[in-house]
Amino acid sequence: ATGLLVAWQLPSGEVAGRLHPGFAASALCHPATYLNKVLLGAPDGRMQLWNLRSSKRVHEFEHGWRAAVTAFEQSPALDVVGVGLADGRLLLHNLKFDTTLLELRHTHGDAVRCLAFRTDGQPWLVSGAASGALHVWHLERRARLSLEPCAHEGGVASCHFLRGRPELLTAGAADNSLRMWSSDLHSGELSALRGRAGHAAPPTLVRFHDDELHVGGGPG
């Protein structure tokens, strides 16, 4: 696949640019303050910065991660992004100087699926894994604070801290659920606050009850 990427203007829906990086991007993000720029990650570990307006590559970063790039997340610090890899590594990388500031790792090579930074002044990073686990990291201590091993069945699709707050919102990749978590300030332990879930697989039985309520039977 050529990996065509298309950017649209909102709300008009007009095409703003087309990119042909030569690979199907496995991750992308818009770095804060990088006007008209998009960061692309490749299945072979390459990382490139492109200009959406000119449709030209601005820079290819020297670091070849030797593992698929699976997640990007803008950190609270300008020029610094979180990078998640298929081999379980997660990195803080300075785009301006093309320098890796910090490297952490999931146990057993559990692939990184998503990343979330706290924005309320706490130096925490949460990483969601293909196994369904959530890892809470303290960036200044360069250590893991806590682990929630079974946050979602079938992997964590996305995770986001509410802006300026300690609550974490996550979505499952296969269990059709959204969950909200609170985090202990000292230990980093996550506690489920609330959640919403539907069937995790197609229903096998649907019936009417009292002409009002639909009752579905099936996995999940």
Side-chain angles (χ1 to χ4, degrees):
T2 59
L4 171 66
L5 278 87
V6 182
W8 288 273
Q9 296 269 13
L10 294 177
S12 67
E14 296 179 1
V15 173
R18 290 183 171 88
L19 306 182
H20 298 271
F23 57 84
S26 51
L28 61 86
C29 80
H30 167 60
T33 73
Y34 283 53
L35 185 64
N36 297 322
K37 306 297 191 307
V38 63
L39 185 66
L40 303 182
D44 61 6
R46 283 179 290 165
M47 193 165 73
Q48 298 178 351
L49 189 68
W50 283 73
N51 188 308
L52 288 170
R53 290 291 186 185
S54 65
S55 299
K56 292 181 179 180
R57 189 177 69 191
V58 176
H59 182 68
E60 178 159 356
F61 296 87
E62 293 184 5
H63 292 76
W65 306 120
R66 301 181 302 279
V69 180
T70 54
F72 285 133
E73 182 67 17
Q74 173 68 51
S75 81
L78 294 180
D79 300 315
V80 178
V81 297
V83 183
L85 303 177
D87 63 2
R89 285 180 291 162
L90 49 148
L91 317 162
L92 291 188
H93 196 78
N94 187 302
L95 302 179
K96 184 176 181 180
F97 298 106
D98 196 3
T99 303
T100 297
L101 307 175
L102 175 65
E103 178 175 328
L104 302 165
R105 185 183 293 269
H106 288 173
T107 52
H108 310 299
D110 194 6
V112 179
R113 287 288 178 257
C114 54
L115 300 167
F117 291 91
R118 279 184 67 161
T119 58
D120 61 349
Q122 294 295 327
W124 289 15
L125 170 66
V126 167
S127 55
S131 67
L134 289 170
H135 302 253
V136 181
W137 307 89
H138 195 290
L139 299 178
E140 291 181 352
R141 299 177 191 170
R142 298 172 176 254
R144 185 168 57 195
L145 282 175
S146 68
L147 170 65
E148 181 68 32
C150 301
H152 287 279
E153 295 183 10
V156 184
S158 64
C159 57
H160 297 280
F161 275 107
L162 301 187
R163 185 175 297 276
R165 298 183 60 84
E167 289 85 13
L168 178 73
L169 181 65
T170 64
D175 61 6
N176 193 23
S177 69
L178 289 170
R179 295 194 174 122
M180 182 77 76
W181 308 82
S182 65
S183 49
D184 183 90
L185 180 60
H186 301 289
S187 69
E189 294 287 340
L190 296 176
S191 301
L193 286 176
R194 60 185 67 89
R196 292 290 184 272
H199 286 281
T204 58
L205 179 66
V206 178
R207 289 181 177 174
F208 288 98
H209 180 68
D210 290 338
D211 295 327
E212 295 181 358
L213 179 64
H214 293 224
V215 179

